[in-house]
Amino acid sequence: QQQQQQHEEEEGKDPLMSSQQNGFSLTLSVQAHFRKTYPYLVQAWSKLQEYSKMAWAGVRAVWQLLLRYTYILALVIVFAASLNDVNLLNAFYMCILLTFWIFPWLRERGWVLLIVYCELVMLLLYAVGFSFGSHISSTAVKLLGLDPDAHHHIWTTLKWHLVILALSLIQWQAYQFGGLSSNSNNN
């Protein structure tokens, strides 16, 4: 009677389930055999995994550090660009720099202003190279820092603005999605 019950239970079992369980036990036995036969490989593999985790933790820490202090690099580039050529467009960059440096709490919200201003300056510098740019007086061109021949050397003209834009975008993204705040900078 017990044999009949066991036979009925075995017939009632899902064959796929029992094969999965058998496959799992087979995998465990293969692992046990491998560990017993090649202990040095198993130890090397575990050390490799440990070092890999430590390396990724280090990379994440360095990345967080770079994101936290990218604003300093961005502000230094704004400073250098402002002094590279003294004109009204660069004077506003200097005003933004001073505002960010003096008021760290404003820095968190102000990156969008710097991004938009940088884009507008690049658009203006590009647009002046078209035919209507030749009708602007030479005094206004010099005062604003425009270059009617910018199309001939556009990358040279926009180099500072592109770097400022890239660093500002990185910093803005860090504030928006990276969890940075002006309270955590202590500056």
Side-chain angles (χ1 to χ4, degrees):
Q1 191 175 16
Q2 285 179 340
Q3 288 178 349
Q4 188 176 4
Q5 280 181 342
Q6 284 179 345
H7 182 63
E8 288 174 2
E9 287 175 5
E10 287 177 9
E11 285 180 359
K13 286 184 180 176
D14 185 12
L16 183 61
M17 190 63 161
S18 63
S19 70
Q20 285 176 347
Q21 289 172 347
N22 288 340
F24 182 69
S25 65
L26 179 63
T27 304
L28 288 178
S29 66
V30 168
Q31 285 179 356
H33 175 70
F34 188 79
R35 287 179 193 272
K36 197 183 279 185
T37 309
Y38 305 107
Y40 54 91
L41 286 178
V42 172
Q43 187 178 23
W45 179 254
S46 65
K47 285 287 186 191
L48 181 65
Q49 287 177 328
E50 181 183 328
Y51 292 147
S52 167
K53 286 178 186 176
M54 289 186 333
W56 278 114
V59 167
R60 277 192 297 271
V62 168
W63 180 250
Q64 285 296 321
L65 188 70
L66 285 175
L67 280 182
R68 178 161 302 227
Y69 294 107
T70 304
Y71 79 93
I72 293 174
L73 181 60
L75 294 180
V76 167
I77 295 295
V78 168
F79 180 72
S82 298
L83 295 181
N84 186 36
D85 184 26
V86 179
N87 55 50
L88 287 179
L89 293 176
N90 289 344
F92 192 73
Y93 275 131
M94 188 62 84
C95 291
I96 292 174
L97 165 79
L98 292 174
T99 304
F100 282 5
W101 207 265
I102 294 170
F103 305 108
W105 54 271
L106 197 62
R107 186 184 319 138
E108 185 174 341
R109 294 177 191 89
W111 288 109
V112 174
L113 172 68
L114 182 58
I115 291 168
V116 170
Y117 180 71
C118 188
E119 289 173 347
L120 289 174
V121 168
M122 288 191 306
L123 183 65
L124 180 64
L125 289 172
Y126 180 72
V128 166
F130 290 110
S131 62
F132 69 84
S134 62
H135 302 301
I136 301 174
S137 72
S138 63
T139 306
V141 166
K142 227 175 216 187
L143 185 63
L144 289 174
L146 302 176
D147 184 6
D149 297 325
H151 285 203
H152 301 292
H153 48 83
I154 193 71
W155 294 112
T156 308
T157 303
L158 297 180
K159 68 182 173 193
W160 287 107
H161 305 287
L162 291 170
V163 172
I164 291 170
L165 181 64
L167 291 173
S168 300
L169 280 170
I170 290 170
Q171 192 61 37
W172 178 65
Q173 290 294 317
Y175 276 118
Q176 290 293 321
F177 305 110
L180 294 182
S181 69
S182 57
N183 298 335
S184 66
N185 282 338
N186 296 327
N187 292 337

